[in-house]
Amino acid sequence: MSSEVLPFRARPYVPDLCFATIHGHRRAYRIGGTGPAVLLLHGIGDNSLVWDSVLAPLTDRFTVIAPDLLGHGLSDRPRADYSVAAFANGMRDLLCYLNVDRVSVVGHSLGGGVAGQFAYQYPDMVERIAFVAPGGVDHDVSPLLRLLSLPFAEQLVALTALPGARQVLATALLAAAAVPNPVRPDAVQLGRALDRMPNTASPHAFARTLRSVVDLRGQVVTMLDRCYLTAEVPTLVAWGADDSIIPAAHAEVLREALPAARVEIFDGVGHFPMTEAPDRFLTLLTDFLTTTSPARLARTHLRDGLRSAAGVTVAAPAQELG
């Protein structure tokens, strides 16, 4: 990457909030530091501030890029495609805008699904992948998310913009943390995610994003049928043992699909390891980023992987005729 063209550096080791207009839509992102590029992708209904506890420390060694996905945070909320593939395309465009050729991708929840899709679509741009309680592994998901995929989700999200609504929801989440219920392990962190949401939260964008990955039966997309194509990319899987949003058992599913992956389970932690155990998470991620060799995949790798999986013999490149 060429640091001279990046639109920041006023405070090189502190992530700055910047904006880029791409395809006519404003995208917010936080960026700072020097060194190899690391892309941090947040989950549904969240934004780049979920990485706040690790952003600044990571800039000591890396160029950190933490965007607000379209429809989230301070980015625009157009009537648009909010599928996992569309988010991956958006990340490709943002990185091209920033003149960043290769990144290590770290994705949490929905962002984990986007990270996997990004690696599948643009293998030549990916050096490493870190999945943090990612979506898109198996069908199991929180009953809350299943219910929010129903048609009334827009109305529920719209209520958060009403005066005093967030205080009521925050109080309800604190009460939920005190009694046994399906979301108890993550109730406090969900309340903090609510605090991170800007007042311009769009029920339309949230509903479209959720319905692209979840319905009443659970998750509708999976990376398992294609993750073998990136098996050579160094991979980290980090999960909270008490995750009530996406079961930690999915970590073992990923371990089976990607035997070379490093899998770390955080005891006593829920869906947000980077906010619940920031020091341990930072140590783990930094060690992963600094002790693994970056992948260097090309489009031919994708071709060979597809043919091999189909039982087609991969022939050596034909000699050019002189």
Side-chain angles (χ1 to χ4, degrees), residues 238-319:
W239 224 301
D242 298 335
D243 194 330
S244 64
I245 307 300
I246 305 176
H250 290 194
E252 295 306 317
V253 178
L254 263 184
R255 190 199 300 269
E256 184 174 345
L258 297 169
R262 178 178 177 180
V263 178
E264 295 285 339
I265 304 298
F266 287 53
D267 291 334
V269 171
H271 189 58
F272 296 82
M274 62 286 204
T275 60
E276 295 176 72
D279 293 339
R280 179 181 173 187
F281 178 81
L282 178 64
T283 299
L284 174 65
L285 180 60
T286 302
D287 180 72
F288 169 69
L289 294 172
T290 56
T291 61
T292 53
S293 298
R296 289 289 185 266
L297 301 187
R299 289 186 63 85
T300 53
H301 176 88
L302 178 61
R303 177 202 65 197
D304 294 345
L306 290 168
R307 291 183 177 180
S308 177
V312 177
T313 300
V314 179
Q319 295 283 338

Coordinates of all heavy atoms in Angstrom, one line a residue, residues 238-319:
A238 N -12.1 -16.9 17.2 CA -12.3 -16.6 18.6 C -13.7 -16.5 19.0 O -14.5 -15.9 18.3 CB -11.6 -15.2 18.9
W239 N -14.1 -17.2 20.1 CA -15.5 -17.2 20.4 C -15.7 -17.2 22.0 O -14.9 -17.8 22.7 CB -16.1 -18.5 19.9 CG -17.5 -18.4 19.3 CD1 -18.6 -17.9 19.8 CD2 -17.8 -18.7 17.9 NE1 -19.6 -17.9 19.0 CE2 -19.2 -18.4 17.8 CE3 -17.1 -19.2 16.8 CZ2 -19.9 -18.6 16.6 CZ3 -17.8 -19.4 15.7 CH2 -19.1 -19.1 15.5
G240 N -16.7 -16.6 22.4 CA -17.1 -16.6 23.8 C -17.9 -17.9 24.2 O -18.8 -18.2 23.5
A241 N -17.5 -18.6 25.2 CA -18.1 -19.8 25.6 C -19.6 -19.6 25.9 O -20.4 -20.5 25.8 CB -17.4 -20.5 26.7
D242 N -19.9 -18.4 26.4 CA -21.3 -18.1 26.8 C -22.1 -17.3 25.8 O -23.1 -16.6 26.2 CB -21.3 -17.3 28.2 CG -20.6 -18.1 29.3 OD1 -20.6 -19.4 29.2 OD2 -20.1 -17.5 30.2
D243 N -21.7 -17.4 24.5 CA -22.4 -16.6 23.5 C -23.8 -17.0 23.4 O -24.1 -18.2 23.2 CB -21.7 -16.8 22.2 CG -22.1 -15.9 21.1 OD1 -23.2 -15.4 21.1 OD2 -21.2 -15.6 20.2
S244 N -24.8 -16.1 23.6 CA -26.2 -16.4 23.5 C -26.8 -15.9 22.2 O -28.0 -16.2 21.9 CB -26.9 -15.7 24.6 OG -26.8 -14.2 24.5
I245 N -26.0 -15.3 21.3 CA -26.4 -14.9 20.0 C -26.1 -15.9 18.9 O -27.0 -16.3 18.2 CB -25.8 -13.5 19.6 CG1 -26.0 -12.5 20.8 CG2 -26.3 -13.0 18.3 CD1 -27.4 -12.2 21.1
I246 N -24.9 -16.3 18.8 CA -24.5 -17.4 17.9 C -23.7 -18.4 18.7 O -22.7 -18.1 19.3 CB -23.6 -16.9 16.8 CG1 -24.3 -15.7 16.0 CG2 -23.3 -18.0 15.8 CD1 -23.5 -15.1 14.9
P247 N -24.2 -19.7 18.8 CA -23.6 -20.7 19.7 C -22.1 -20.9 19.5 O -21.6 -21.0 18.3 CB -24.4 -21.9 19.4 CG -25.7 -21.5 18.8 CD -25.3 -20.2 18.0
A248 N -21.4 -21.0 20.6 CA -20.0 -21.2 20.5 C -19.6 -22.6 19.9 O -18.5 -22.8 19.5 CB -19.3 -21.1 21.9
A249 N -20.6 -23.5 19.9 CA -20.4 -24.8 19.2 C -20.1 -24.7 17.8 O -19.5 -25.6 17.2 CB -21.7 -25.7 19.4
H250 N -20.4 -23.5 17.2 CA -20.1 -23.3 15.8 C -18.6 -23.2 15.6 O -18.1 -23.4 14.5 CB -20.7 -22.0 15.3 CG -22.2 -22.1 15.1 ND1 -23.0 -21.2 14.4 CD2 -23.1 -23.0 15.6 CE1 -24.2 -21.5 14.5 NE2 -24.3 -22.6 15.2
A251 N -17.8 -22.9 16.6 CA -16.4 -22.9 16.5 C -15.8 -24.2 16.2 O -14.9 -24.4 15.4 CB -15.8 -22.4 17.8
E252 N -16.4 -25.3 16.7 CA -16.0 -26.6 16.4 C -16.4 -27.0 15.0 O -15.6 -27.8 14.3 CB -16.6 -27.6 17.4 CG -16.1 -27.4 18.8 CD -14.5 -27.4 18.9 OE1 -13.9 -28.3 18.3 OE2 -14.0 -26.6 19.6
V253 N -17.5 -26.5 14.5 CA -17.8 -26.7 13.1 C -16.8 -26.1 12.2 O -16.4 -26.7 11.2 CB -19.2 -26.1 12.8 CG1 -19.6 -26.3 11.3 CG2 -20.3 -26.8 13.7
L254 N -16.4 -24.9 12.5 CA -15.3 -24.2 11.7 C -14.0 -25.0 11.8 O -13.2 -25.1 10.8 CB -15.1 -22.8 12.2 CG -15.9 -21.7 11.4 CD1 -15.5 -20.3 11.9 CD2 -15.6 -21.8 9.9
R255 N -13.7 -25.5 13.0 CA -12.4 -26.2 13.2 C -12.4 -27.4 12.3 O -11.4 -27.8 11.7 CB -12.3 -26.6 14.6 CG -10.9 -27.2 15.0 CD -10.9 -28.0 16.2 NE -11.3 -27.3 17.4 CZ -10.5 -26.7 18.2 NH1 -9.2 -26.7 18.0 NH2 -10.9 -26.1 19.3
E256 N -13.6 -28.1 12.2 CA -13.6 -29.3 11.3 C -13.5 -28.9 9.8 O -12.8 -29.6 9.1 CB -14.9 -30.0 11.5 CG -15.1 -31.3 10.8 CD -16.3 -32.1 11.1 OE1 -16.9 -31.8 12.2 OE2 -16.7 -33.0 10.4
A257 N -14.1 -27.8 9.5 CA -14.0 -27.3 8.1 C -12.6 -26.8 7.7 O -12.2 -26.9 6.6 CB -15.1 -26.3 7.8
L258 N -12.0 -26.2 8.7 CA -10.6 -25.5 8.5 C -9.7 -26.1 9.5 O -9.4 -25.4 10.5 CB -10.8 -24.0 8.6 CG -11.7 -23.3 7.6 CD1 -11.9 -21.9 8.0 CD2 -11.0 -23.4 6.2
P259 N -9.2 -27.3 9.3 CA -8.3 -28.0 10.4 C -7.1 -27.2 10.8 O -6.6 -27.4 11.9 CB -8.0 -29.3 9.7 CG -9.0 -29.5 8.6 CD -9.4 -28.2 8.2
A260 N -6.6 -26.3 9.9 CA -5.4 -25.6 10.2 C -5.7 -24.3 11.0 O -4.7 -23.7 11.5 CB -4.6 -25.2 8.9
A261 N -6.9 -24.0 11.2 CA -7.3 -22.8 11.9 C -6.9 -22.9 13.4 O -7.0 -23.9 14.0 CB -8.8 -22.5 11.8
R262 N -6.6 -21.7 14.0 CA -6.4 -21.6 15.4 C -7.7 -21.2 16.1 O -8.3 -20.2 15.7 CB -5.3 -20.6 15.7 CG -5.0 -20.3 17.2 CD -3.9 -19.3 17.4 NE -3.7 -19.0 18.8 CZ -2.8 -18.1 19.2 NH1 -2.0 -17.5 18.3 NH2 -2.6 -17.9 20.5
V263 N -8.2 -22.1 17.0 CA -9.5 -21.8 17.6 C -9.2 -21.5 19.1 O -8.6 -22.3 19.8 CB -10.4 -23.0 17.5 CG1 -11.7 -22.8 18.2 CG2 -10.6 -23.3 16.0
E264 N -9.8 -20.4 19.6 CA -9.6 -20.0 21.0 C -11.0 -19.7 21.5 O -11.8 -18.9 21.0 CB -8.8 -18.7 21.1 CG -7.3 -18.9 20.7 CD -6.5 -19.6 21.7 OE1 -7.0 -19.7 22.9 OE2 -5.5 -20.2 21.3
I265 N -11.4 -20.4 22.6 CA -12.7 -20.2 23.3 C -12.4 -19.4 24.6 O -11.6 -19.8 25.4 CB -13.3 -21.5 23.6 CG1 -13.5 -22.4 22.4 CG2 -14.7 -21.3 24.3 CD1 -14.4 -21.8 21.3
F266 N -13.2 -18.3 24.7 CA -13.0 -17.4 25.9 C -14.1 -17.8 26.9 O -15.3 -17.6 26.8 CB -13.3 -16.0 25.5 CG -12.2 -15.3 24.7 CD1 -11.7 -15.9 23.5 CD2 -11.6 -14.1 25.1 CE1 -10.7 -15.3 22.8 CE2 -10.6 -13.5 24.4 CZ -10.2 -14.1 23.2
D267 N -13.6 -18.5 28.0 CA -14.5 -18.9 29.1 C -15.1 -17.6 29.8 O -14.4 -16.6 30.0 CB -13.8 -19.8 30.1 CG -13.5 -21.1 29.5 OD1 -14.2 -21.6 28.6 OD2 -12.5 -21.7 30.0
G268 N -16.4 -17.7 30.1 CA -17.0 -16.6 30.9 C -17.3 -15.4 30.0 O -17.6 -14.3 30.5
V269 N -17.2 -15.5 28.7 CA -17.4 -14.4 27.8 C -18.5 -14.7 26.8 O -18.7 -15.9 26.5 CB -16.1 -14.1 27.0 CG1 -16.3 -13.1 25.8 CG2 -15.0 -13.6 27.9
G270 N -19.3 -13.7 26.4 CA -20.4 -13.9 25.5 C -20.0 -13.6 24.1 O -19.0 -14.0 23.6
H271 N -20.9 -12.9 23.4 CA -20.8 -12.6 22.0 C -19.8 -11.6 21.6 O -19.5 -11.4 20.4 CB -22.2 -12.2 21.4 CG -22.3 -12.2 19.9 ND1 -22.0 -13.3 19.1 CD2 -22.6 -11.2 19.1 CE1 -22.2 -12.9 17.9 NE2 -22.6 -11.7 17.8
F272 N -19.2 -10.9 22.6 CA -18.4 -9.7 22.3 C -17.0 -9.9 22.9 O -16.7 -9.1 23.9 CB -19.0 -8.4 22.7 CG -20.3 -8.1 22.0 CD1 -21.5 -8.6 22.4 CD2 -20.3 -7.1 21.0 CE1 -22.7 -8.3 21.8 CE2 -21.5 -6.8 20.3 CZ -22.7 -7.4 20.7
P273 N -16.2 -10.8 22.5 CA -14.9 -11.0 23.2 C -14.0 -9.7 23.2 O -13.3 -9.5 24.2 CB -14.2 -12.1 22.3 CG -15.3 -12.8 21.7 CD -16.4 -11.8 21.4
M274 N -14.1 -8.9 22.2 CA -13.2 -7.8 22.1 C -13.6 -6.7 23.1 O -12.8 -5.8 23.4 CB -13.1 -7.2 20.7 CG -14.4 -6.7 20.1 SD -15.5 -8.0 19.7 CE -16.6 -7.2 18.5
T275 N -14.8 -6.7 23.6 CA -15.2 -5.7 24.6 C -15.3 -6.3 26.0 O -15.1 -5.6 26.9 CB -16.6 -5.1 24.2 OG1 -17.6 -6.1 24.1 CG2 -16.6 -4.4 22.9
E276 N -15.6 -7.6 26.1 CA -15.6 -8.2 27.4 C -14.3 -8.6 27.9 O -14.1 -8.6 29.1 CB -16.6 -9.5 27.3 CG -18.0 -9.1 26.9 CD -18.8 -10.4 26.8 OE1 -19.1 -11.1 27.8 OE2 -19.2 -10.7 25.6
A277 N -13.4 -9.0 27.0 CA -12.0 -9.4 27.4 C -11.0 -8.7 26.5 O -10.3 -9.4 25.8 CB -11.9 -10.9 27.4
P278 N -11.0 -7.4 26.5 CA -10.2 -6.7 25.5 C -8.7 -7.0 25.6 O -8.0 -7.1 24.5 CB -10.4 -5.2 25.8 CG -10.9 -5.2 27.2 CD -11.7 -6.5 27.4
D279 N -8.1 -7.1 26.8 CA -6.7 -7.4 26.9 C -6.3 -8.8 26.3 O -5.4 -8.9 25.5 CB -6.2 -7.3 28.3 CG -6.3 -5.9 28.9 OD1 -6.3 -4.9 28.0 OD2 -6.3 -5.7 30.1
R280 N -7.1 -9.8 26.7 CA -6.8 -11.1 26.2 C -7.1 -11.2 24.6 O -6.3 -11.8 23.9 CB -7.8 -12.1 26.8 CG -7.5 -13.6 26.3 CD -8.4 -14.6 27.0 NE -8.3 -15.9 26.3 CZ -9.1 -16.9 26.5 NH1 -10.0 -16.9 27.5 NH2 -8.9 -18.1 25.9
F281 N -8.1 -10.5 24.2 CA -8.4 -10.5 22.8 C -7.3 -9.8 22.0 O -6.8 -10.3 20.9 CB -9.7 -9.8 22.5 CG -10.1 -9.7 21.0 CD1 -10.6 -10.8 20.4 CD2 -9.8 -8.6 20.3 CE1 -10.9 -10.8 19.0 CE2 -10.1 -8.5 18.9 CZ -10.7 -9.6 18.3
L282 N -6.8 -8.7 22.5 CA -5.8 -7.9 21.8 C -4.5 -8.7 21.7 O -3.8 -8.8 20.7 CB -5.5 -6.6 22.5 CG -4.4 -5.7 21.9 CD1 -4.7 -5.3 20.5 CD2 -4.1 -4.5 22.9
T283 N -4.1 -9.4 22.8 CA -2.9 -10.3 22.8 C -3.1 -11.4 21.8 O -2.1 -11.7 21.1 CB -2.7 -10.8 24.3 OG1 -2.5 -9.8 25.2 CG2 -1.5 -11.8 24.3
L284 N -4.2 -12.0 21.8 CA -4.5 -13.1 20.9 C -4.4 -12.7 19.4 O -3.7 -13.3 18.6 CB -5.8 -13.7 21.1 CG -6.3 -14.8 20.1 CD1 -5.4 -16.0 20.2 CD2 -7.8 -15.2 20.4
L285 N -5.1 -11.6 19.1 CA -5.1 -11.1 17.7 C -3.7 -10.6 17.3 O -3.3 -10.9 16.2 CB -6.1 -9.9 17.6 CG -6.2 -9.3 16.2 CD1 -6.7 -10.4 15.2 CD2 -7.2 -8.2 16.2
T286 N -3.0 -9.9 18.2 CA -1.7 -9.4 17.8 C -0.7 -10.5 17.6 O 0.1 -10.5 16.6 CB -1.1 -8.5 18.9 OG1 -2.0 -7.4 19.1 CG2 0.2 -7.9 18.6
D287 N -0.8 -11.5 18.4 CA 0.1 -12.7 18.2 C -0.2 -13.4 16.9 O 0.7 -13.8 16.2 CB -0.1 -13.7 19.4 CG 0.7 -14.9 19.3 OD1 2.0 -14.8 19.5 OD2 0.2 -16.0 19.0
F288 N -1.5 -13.5 16.6 CA -1.9 -14.2 15.3 C -1.4 -13.4 14.1 O -0.8 -13.9 13.2 CB -3.4 -14.3 15.3 CG -4.0 -14.7 13.9 CD1 -3.8 -15.9 13.4 CD2 -4.7 -13.7 13.2 CE1 -4.3 -16.3 12.2 CE2 -5.2 -14.1 11.9 CZ -5.0 -15.4 11.4
L289 N -1.5 -12.0 14.2 CA -1.1 -11.2 13.1 C 0.4 -11.1 12.9 O 0.9 -10.9 11.8 CB -1.7 -9.8 13.3 CG -3.2 -9.6 13.2 CD1 -3.6 -8.2 13.6 CD2 -3.7 -10.0 11.9
T290 N 1.1 -11.3 14.0 CA 2.6 -11.1 13.9 C 3.4 -12.5 13.8 O 4.5 -12.4 13.4 CB 3.1 -10.4 15.1 OG1 2.7 -11.1 16.3 CG2 2.6 -9.0 15.2
T291 N 2.7 -13.6 14.0 CA 3.5 -14.9 14.0 C 3.1 -15.7 12.8 O 3.7 -16.8 12.6 CB 3.2 -15.7 15.3 OG1 1.8 -16.0 15.4 CG2 3.7 -14.9 16.5
T292 N 2.1 -15.3 12.0 CA 1.7 -16.1 10.8 C 2.2 -15.4 9.6 O 2.3 -14.1 9.5 CB 0.2 -16.2 10.8 OG1 -0.5 -14.9 10.9 CG2 -0.3 -17.1 11.9
S293 N 2.5 -16.1 8.6 CA 2.9 -15.6 7.3 C 1.7 -15.2 6.4 O 0.8 -16.0 6.3 CB 3.8 -16.6 6.5 OG 5.0 -16.9 7.3
P294 N 1.7 -14.1 5.8 CA 0.6 -13.7 5.0 C 0.4 -14.6 3.8 O 1.3 -15.0 3.2 CB 0.9 -12.2 4.6 CG 2.4 -12.1 4.7 CD 2.8 -13.0 5.8
A295 N -0.9 -14.8 3.5 CA -1.2 -15.6 2.3 C -1.0 -14.8 1.1 O -1.1 -13.6 1.1 CB -2.7 -16.1 2.4
R296 N -0.7 -15.5 0.0 CA -0.5 -14.8 -1.3 C -1.3 -15.7 -2.3 O -0.7 -16.4 -3.1 CB 1.0 -14.7 -1.7 CG 1.7 -13.7 -0.8 CD 1.3 -12.3 -1.2 NE 2.1 -11.3 -0.5 CZ 1.8 -10.7 0.6 NH1 0.7 -11.1 1.2 NH2 2.5 -9.8 1.2
L297 N -2.6 -15.5 -2.3 CA -3.4 -16.3 -3.3 C -3.6 -15.5 -4.5 O -3.7 -14.3 -4.5 CB -4.7 -16.7 -2.6 CG -4.7 -17.5 -1.3 CD1 -6.1 -17.9 -0.9 CD2 -3.8 -18.7 -1.5
A298 N -3.8 -16.2 -5.6 CA -4.2 -15.6 -6.9 C -5.5 -16.2 -7.4 O -6.0 -17.2 -6.9 CB -3.0 -15.8 -7.9
R299 N -6.0 -15.6 -8.5 CA -7.3 -16.1 -9.0 C -7.1 -17.6 -9.5 O -8.0 -18.4 -9.5 CB -7.7 -15.2 -10.2 CG -8.2 -13.9 -9.7 CD -8.8 -13.1 -10.9 NE -10.0 -13.8 -11.4 CZ -11.2 -13.6 -11.0 NH1 -11.4 -12.9 -9.9 NH2 -12.2 -14.3 -11.5
T300 N -5.9 -17.9 -9.9 CA -5.6 -19.3 -10.3 C -5.9 -20.3 -9.2 O -6.2 -21.4 -9.4 CB -4.2 -19.5 -10.9 OG1 -3.3 -19.0 -9.9 CG2 -4.1 -18.7 -12.2
H301 N -5.6 -19.9 -8.0 CA -5.9 -20.7 -6.8 C -7.4 -21.0 -6.7 O -7.8 -22.2 -6.4 CB -5.4 -20.0 -5.5 CG -5.7 -20.8 -4.3 ND1 -4.9 -21.7 -3.8 CD2 -6.8 -20.7 -3.5 CE1 -5.4 -22.2 -2.7 NE2 -6.6 -21.6 -2.4
L302 N -8.2 -20.0 -7.0 CA -9.7 -20.3 -6.9 C -10.0 -21.3 -8.0 O -10.8 -22.2 -7.8 CB -10.4 -18.9 -7.2 CG -11.9 -19.0 -7.2 CD1 -12.5 -19.5 -5.9 CD2 -12.5 -17.6 -7.5
R303 N -9.5 -21.1 -9.2 CA -9.8 -22.0 -10.3 C -9.4 -23.4 -10.0 O -10.2 -24.4 -10.1 CB -9.1 -21.5 -11.6 CG -9.2 -22.4 -12.8 CD -8.1 -22.2 -13.8 NE -6.8 -22.7 -13.2 CZ -5.6 -22.3 -13.7 NH1 -5.5 -21.5 -14.7 NH2 -4.5 -22.7 -13.1
D304 N -8.2 -23.6 -9.5 CA -7.7 -24.9 -9.2 C -8.5 -25.6 -8.0 O -8.7 -26.8 -8.1 CB -6.2 -24.8 -8.8 CG -5.3 -24.4 -9.9 OD1 -5.8 -24.4 -11.1 OD2 -4.1 -24.0 -9.7
G305 N -8.9 -24.8 -7.0 CA -9.6 -25.3 -5.9 C -11.0 -25.8 -6.4 O -11.5 -26.8 -6.0
L306 N -11.7 -25.0 -7.3 CA -13.0 -25.4 -7.8 C -12.9 -26.7 -8.6 O -13.7 -27.6 -8.5 CB -13.6 -24.3 -8.6 CG -14.0 -23.0 -7.8 CD1 -14.3 -21.9 -8.8 CD2 -15.2 -23.3 -7.0
R307 N -11.9 -26.8 -9.5 CA -11.7 -27.9 -10.3 C -11.4 -29.2 -9.5 O -11.9 -30.3 -9.7 CB -10.6 -27.7 -11.4 CG -11.0 -26.7 -12.4 CD -10.0 -26.5 -13.5 NE -10.4 -25.6 -14.5 CZ -9.7 -25.3 -15.6 NH1 -8.5 -25.8 -15.7 NH2 -10.1 -24.5 -16.5
S308 N -10.5 -29.0 -8.5 CA -10.1 -30.1 -7.6 C -11.3 -30.6 -6.9 O -11.5 -31.9 -6.7 CB -9.0 -29.7 -6.7 OG -8.6 -30.7 -5.8
A309 N -12.1 -29.7 -6.3 CA -13.3 -30.2 -5.6 C -14.3 -30.9 -6.4 O -15.1 -31.7 -6.0 CB -14.0 -28.9 -4.9
A310 N -14.3 -30.6 -7.7 CA -15.2 -31.2 -8.7 C -14.7 -32.5 -9.2 O -15.3 -33.2 -10.1 CB -15.5 -30.3 -9.8
G311 N -13.4 -32.9 -8.8 CA -12.8 -34.1 -9.3 C -12.2 -34.0 -10.6 O -11.9 -35.0 -11.3
V312 N -11.9 -32.8 -11.0 CA -11.2 -32.5 -12.3 C -9.7 -32.4 -12.1 O -9.3 -31.6 -11.2 CB -11.8 -31.2 -13.0 CG1 -11.0 -31.0 -14.3 CG2 -13.3 -31.4 -13.2
T313 N -9.0 -33.1 -12.8 CA -7.5 -33.0 -12.7 C -7.0 -31.6 -13.1 O -7.4 -31.1 -14.2 CB -6.8 -34.1 -13.6 OG1 -7.3 -35.4 -13.2 CG2 -5.3 -34.0 -13.4
V314 N -6.2 -31.0 -12.2 CA -5.7 -29.7 -12.5 C -4.4 -29.8 -13.3 O -3.4 -30.3 -12.8 CB -5.5 -28.9 -11.2 CG1 -4.9 -27.5 -11.6 CG2 -6.7 -28.8 -10.4
A315 N -4.5 -29.5 -14.6 CA -3.4 -29.6 -15.5 C -2.4 -28.5 -15.3 O -2.8 -27.3 -14.9 CB -3.8 -29.7 -16.9
A316 N -1.1 -28.7 -15.6 CA -0.1 -27.7 -15.5 C -0.4 -26.7 -16.7 O -1.0 -27.0 -17.7 CB 1.3 -28.2 -15.7
P317 N 0.0 -25.4 -16.5 CA -0.3 -24.4 -17.5 C 0.4 -24.8 -18.8 O 1.5 -25.4 -18.9 CB 0.4 -23.1 -17.0 CG 0.5 -23.3 -15.5 CD 0.6 -24.8 -15.3
A318 N -0.3 -24.6 -19.9 CA 0.2 -25.0 -21.2 C 1.4 -24.2 -21.6 O 1.5 -23.0 -21.3 CB -0.9 -24.9 -22.3
Q319 N 2.4 -24.8 -22.3 CA 3.6 -24.0 -22.7 C 3.1 -23.1 -23.9 O 2.3 -23.5 -24.7 CB 4.6 -25.0 -23.3 CG 5.2 -25.9 -22.2 CD 6.2 -25.2 -21.3 OE1 6.8 -24.2 -21.7 NE2 6.4 -25.7 -20.1

